[in-house]
Amino acid sequence: MADQKKLFIKTYGCQMNVYDSERMAEALGGAGYIATDTPDDADMILLNTCHIREKAAEKVYSELGRFKGLKAAKPELKIGVAGCVAQAEGAEIMRRQPMVDLVVGPQSYHRLPAMEAKAGNGQKALDTDFPEEDKFAHLAARPKAQRGPSAFLTVQEGCDKFCAFCVVPYTRGAEVSRPVDRVLDEARDLVERGVREITLLGQNVNAYHGAGAGGDWSLARLIRELARIDGLARIRFTTSHPNDMDDDLIAAHGDCDKLMPYLHLPVQSGSDRILKRMNRSHTAEQYLRLIERIRAARPDILLSGDFIVGFPEETEADFAATLALVEQVRYGQCYSFKYSTRPGTPAAERAQVDEDVKADRLQRLQALLSRQQAEIQDAMVGREVGVLFEKPGREAGQLVGKSDHLHAVHAQAGAERIGQVARVRITGSGANSLAGQVVEV
Ligand code: SAH
Ligand code: SF4
Ligand code: F3S
C-alpha cells in the first residue's frame, strides 16, 4: 500500500488500557497506519496514560519531554495523549506541552481517525466528552489477522462506586455494560483467529449487566454462554468488587470447567474504620465470609488482591488489621501501593499519613505478601497443572505459558505446542515463575 504511516503506542496503567491500545491501533489502521515498536521512525506517537497515582500521571509529562527532539527533527510527527490523564487534564496537557497535537479521552476512541486527520501543522484536536453513542459500536470491525493464544475483551467500563481515594469514576465515567451479542461476536471472532483464553475486563467487571435475550445478563450468565464456544479453552475476568460477587458467579467457579481457578478480589484494607472512610461499603468480616464461600465452591482457587497503605488517618492498629486479614486469606499474588493523593477525590482533603510511615508499612506488607506468594508457588511443586503455552522461553527449546492458576510456567516443548493447553508437572519454583515438564498422555 502506498504511503503507509507508522504508529507507536505506549501503554500505561491497567489491562483495559492494553485492550484500548489494540482497538486504537486497529482504528488508525483504517487511516493508513501500521504499528511500529519504536518512537524513532513513527509518524504518530500515542501515549495511552494512567491517572491512578501521582507518579503514573507525572510520567506522561517526562515521557513527552523525551519526544521533543523527534518532533523538532520531524515537524509533521503527530503526538497524541489518550487514556485517563487525557480525560483528567484535557487541554491542560497542550498548555504544558504545546507539541501535543491531540488529546483524546477513553470514551472517544472511535473518533480518533477523524481527530488524527484534523490534527497536525499547528492544528489541535481535543475530545474528552462522554458521548451518548457507544464507542465500541462505532469502532471499526477488528481485522482478521491471526493472534496469540490469550486476549483481553472489555465487557464493562466505568465505575459508580466512588471510593474516596480513586479517580476512575471521573476518568472513565459511569458504569456501562456492552450488549451480550456484541461480546459473544467479538469472542467468537477472537477464537477464529487463534485465541484460546479470554480475560473479560471491566473496572467493575462483576457488576456487568449487559442487554441480552430476555433482559439484562449477569457476568455469570455471560461466562456460561461464552463457555459454549468451541475452541475457547479458558475464561477469566478482572477486576471484581467484593459487593458484586453474586451467588451465581460464585457457583460458576465450582461448575464451569472453563472458568479458571483464579480471582482478583481487591479489599484495600483490613480495618473496618478505614474501609468505611474509603467508602468501600463492606467490612473485613464480610470480605472474609465471601472468600469462604468462594473457596467452598472452588477449594483450589488462587486469590489475588490490591492494598493501599497509609490511607489518610490510618493508624498502626488499622495497619495491623490489614496484616491480620492477609494472614487469614493467604493470597497467591497481590499488588500493594502507598496511598497517593489525587486532587478532586474526597480523601485528598483529609489528614495525610507521613511518607516515611507509608514506606515502612508498604515494606512490611510486601514482605508478608511475598512470603505467601512464595509458599503458594512452592506448594505447586510436584502437582500437575494445565498450561496454555504462549511463546518461546528464554532458553532454546523452551516455551512459556500460564497455568490454570495464572502462574508463569516454563518447560521444554516444541513450538507446535504454542496455543495448546498441555498437562505439565511442576518441578521447581523460582522468583516469579514455575518450571515444569510436559506430561505426555
Ligand atoms: N476497580 C478496582 C480497582 C481499580 S484501580 C477495585 O475496586 O478494586 C486499581 C488499584 O489501584 C486499586 O485497587 C487500588 O489498590 C489502587 N489505587 C487506586 N487509587 C489509588 C490511590 N489514590 N493511591 C494508591 N493506590 C490507589
Ligand atoms: Fe476505583 Fe473503587 Fe471504582 Fe475500583 S470500585 S474503580 S477502586 S472507585
Ligand atoms: Fe489507570 Fe485509568 Fe486504568 S487511571 S488503572 S488507566 S482505568
Side-chain angles (χ1 to χ4, degrees):
M1 202 195 289
D3 212 19
Q4 275 215 319
K5 293 169 285 180
K6 290 189 177 150
L7 170 68
F8 173 73
I9 303 189
K10 184 155 181 177
T11 308
Y12 302 86
C14 61
Q15 291 136 319
M16 304 201 52
N17 268 9
V18 176
Y19 176 86
D20 285 342
S21 289
E22 268 177 31
R23 299 304 306 259
M24 285 192 276
E26 289 165 3
L28 287 169
Y33 281 93
I34 53 162
T36 172
D37 50 16
T38 153
D40 300 338
D41 64 346
D43 299 285
M44 179 165 182
I45 295 174
L46 205 49
L47 298 184
N48 192 7
T49 61
C50 174
H51 201 242
I52 202 83
R53 284 170 288 276
E54 192 181 354
K55 270 199 188 131
E58 279 308 314
K59 249 189 228 160
V60 179
Y61 289 103
S62 57
E63 189 73 37
L64 285 171
R66 291 175 42 198
F67 297 142
K68 262 196 184 131
L70 289 176
K71 181 85 168 179
K74 190 181 188 180
E76 67 277 19
L77 166 66
K78 294 179 185 180
I79 297 184
V81 178
C84 291
V85 175
Q87 188 63 47
E89 310 225 322
E92 174 62 21
I93 297 174
M94 289 160 171
R95 269 193 292 276
R96 262 181 83 172
Q97 270 300 356
M99 67 177 182
V100 172
D101 301 290
L102 178 161
V103 171
V104 58
Q107 300 314 322
S108 303
Y109 294 154
H110 54 297
R111 297 175 174 172
L112 196 52
M115 292 176 71
E116 186 275 340
K118 181 184 157 202
N121 300 322
Q123 283 281 90
K124 306 275 180 197
L126 169 77
D127 193 334
T128 52
D129 291 350
F130 287 109
E132 280 290 306
E133 77 268 14
D134 169 9
K135 74 169 174 195
F136 297 105
H138 288 78
L139 278 166
R142 310 200 68 173
K144 292 293 169 202
Q146 194 67 14
R147 357 185 340 147
S150 19
F152 293 135
L153 203 179
T154 295
V155 300
Q156 181 277 337
E157 267 204 276
C159 181
D160 300 336
K161 297 213 159 41
F162 292 93
C163 299
F165 50 81
C166 185
V167 294
V168 171
Y170 312 99
T171 63
R172 293 276 171 165
E175 278 182 16
V176 191
S177 297
R178 295 178 66 190
V180 170
D181 282 350
R182 299 248 177 74
V183 173
L184 294 175
D185 285 348
E186 193 169 327
R188 286 190 202 102
D189 175 66
L190 288 169
V191 171
E192 274 170 28
R193 291 158 54 202
V195 169
R196 306 295 315 282
E197 171 178 304
I198 291 180
T199 302
L200 305 174
L201 299 181
Q203 266 95 25
N204 275 301
V205 72
N206 57 345
Y208 178 84
H209 55 270
D216 280 359
W217 285 33
S218 67
L219 186 67
R221 188 165 174 198
L222 181 69
I223 288 170
R224 292 180 198 283
E225 191 62 30
L226 285 165
R228 292 156 52 105
I229 299 178
D230 279 343
L232 179 62
R234 293 170 149 190
I235 302 167
R236 305 180 188 275
F237 60 90
T238 198
T239 293
S240 299
H241 192 286
N243 289 354
D244 293 316
M245 279 310 290
D246 65 22
D247 291 347
D248 197 17
L249 190 55
I250 295 172
H253 275 287
D255 62 37
C256 181
D257 291 345
K258 292 187 181 179
L259 185 57
M260 291 294 102
Y262 183 98
L263 180 63
H264 183 62
L265 198 62
V267 62
Q268 315 297 352
S269 168
S271 153
D272 286 345
R273 200 178 69 90
I274 294 297
L275 286 170
K276 199 165 176 141
R277 305 286 289 146
M278 286 178 163
N279 194 30
R280 293 288 293 184
S281 310
H282 62 76
T283 63
E285 189 60 26
Q286 284 167 332
Y287 179 80
L288 291 168
R289 294 292 80 80
L290 175 62
I291 301 274
E292 262 173 26
R293 287 168 55 218
I294 296 164
R295 283 194 166 135
R298 180 77 201 227
D300 72 336
I301 199 161
L302 192 144
L303 288 158
S304 92
D306 292 343
F307 289 91
I308 294 177
V309 299
F311 185 76
E313 302 159 19
E314 184 188 69
T315 63
E316 185 58 29
D318 293 319
F319 177 65
T322 297
L323 294 178
L325 177 138
V326 171
E327 294 277 9
Q328 285 197 57
V329 174
R330 299 190 70 244
Y331 289 96
Q333 220 223 322
C334 266
Y335 302 91
S336 46
F337 313 98
K338 287 191 277 188
Y339 168 73
S340 173
T341 312
R342 306 311 289 125
T345 59
E349 313 297 324
R350 302 182 192 155
Q352 303 292 313
V353 172
D354 284 348
E355 270 309 307
D356 50 346
V357 173
K358 287 187 201 172
D360 172 64
R361 288 181 190 163
L362 186 66
Q363 199 222 324
R364 283 150 68 201
L365 175 62
Q366 288 187 338
L368 173 60
L369 291 169
S370 310
R371 201 158 64 235
Q372 290 191 343
Q373 179 180 332
E375 280 167 15
I376 287 178
Q377 270 190 211
D378 293 350
M380 299 306 292
V381 176
R383 281 179 60 179
E384 220 179 276
V385 296
V387 173
L388 173 60
F389 284 120
E390 293 180 335
K391 55 184 183 204
R394 246 179 277 147
E395 288 167 29
Q398 202 183 56
L399 296 182
V400 192
K402 293 276 163 51
S403 76
D404 301 340
H405 296 94
L406 208 57
H407 285 126
V409 179
H410 49 93
Q412 291 293 314
E416 73 283 356
R417 287 207 193 255
I418 292 177
Q420 293 177 10
V421 180
R423 298 301 302 167
V424 172
R425 179 173 299 283
I426 301 302
T427 54
S429 166
N432 278 307
S433 68
L434 300 173
Q437 269 171 4
V438 175
V439 182
E440 301 297 342
V441 277

